[in-house]
Amino acid sequence: MFRYLQIPANHRTKYDAVESERCNLLEAIQKLSHPNDELNSLKMRYNHTINRQWELKSAMLNDPLVVLPCEIWEEIIIDVLEGGRGSETESNGSRYVDELLYLLNVSKWWCARLLETPRLWAKVVIDHKSEDELAKITA
């Protein structure tokens, strides 16, 4: 499987649960041979389940870290963090760290993906004499 097609575990678990429910409902619908209130109720639940599946798929496809190859989203994040300048000034370097740490709070999935991406952290310089910077990284 390609790295960029990895789906966050929480999305996968929810999707699998909805898929299981869909299969159970479909099986129950197929067992009923003639239209009645129970069949109509099952069909409504089935349609609702299909809608939930679609919503979960849509949510997954809105996340650039799921949809895009890692090489692309790494470049986008680095470019945004650097402010499109391609080089860092001292103040821009501090902003880079601030914004990178901020991105870790988007979700657990983003946090894990960003932490496992060495290119993002290669530009981080920490001044061990600066109490502000030390406090920032230990928070």
Side-chain angles (χ1 to χ4, degrees):
M1 178 179 264
F2 294 107
R3 184 175 173 197
Y4 65 92
L5 294 178
Q6 293 176 352
I7 297 172
N10 63 333
H11 284 286
R12 184 85 250 162
T13 303
K14 288 176 189 174
Y15 187 83
D16 289 346
V18 172
E19 175 61 13
S20 175
E21 181 181 352
R22 185 196 68 79
C23 290
N24 291 337
L25 287 168
L26 184 59
E27 187 177 310
I29 289 169
Q30 290 171 342
K31 285 181 182 178
L32 295 174
S33 58
H34 52 80
N36 61 26
D37 290 341
E38 183 183 2
L39 179 62
N40 290 337
S41 174
L42 286 171
K43 285 182 177 181
M44 288 178 59
R45 286 179 49 205
Y46 182 84
N47 290 338
H48 178 72
T49 302
I50 293 294
N51 288 339
R52 284 191 3 231
Q53 266 188 323
W54 178 251
E55 289 169 3
L56 285 169
K57 280 183 184 179
S58 297
M60 285 187 266
L61 295 177
N62 287 332
D63 188 339
L65 272 61
V66 172
V67 178
L68 298 174
C70 63
E71 296 82 9
I72 304 265
W73 61 254
E74 284 175 13
E75 286 298 324
I76 292 169
I77 290 174
I78 289 171
D79 191 50
V80 168
L81 293 176
E82 291 180 346
R85 293 180 188 87
S87 64
E88 297 179 42
T89 62
E90 189 172 323
S91 62
N92 192 27
S94 178
R95 188 185 68 72
Y96 181 97
V97 173
D98 290 344
E99 296 296 325
L100 185 54
L101 292 173
Y102 184 74
L103 288 175
L104 296 179
N105 294 309
V106 170
S107 69
K108 290 179 182 179
W109 170 250
W110 273 53
C111 183
R113 295 300 304 268
L114 296 178
L115 287 173
E116 70 183 23
T117 308
R119 283 188 60 212
L120 296 175
W121 300 97
K123 298 180 181 250
V124 174
V125 178
I126 299 169
D127 180 4
H128 295 288
K129 296 176 184 173
S130 170
E131 290 181 26
D132 288 342
E133 288 188 25
L134 293 174
K136 188 187 314 176
I137 62 170
T138 57

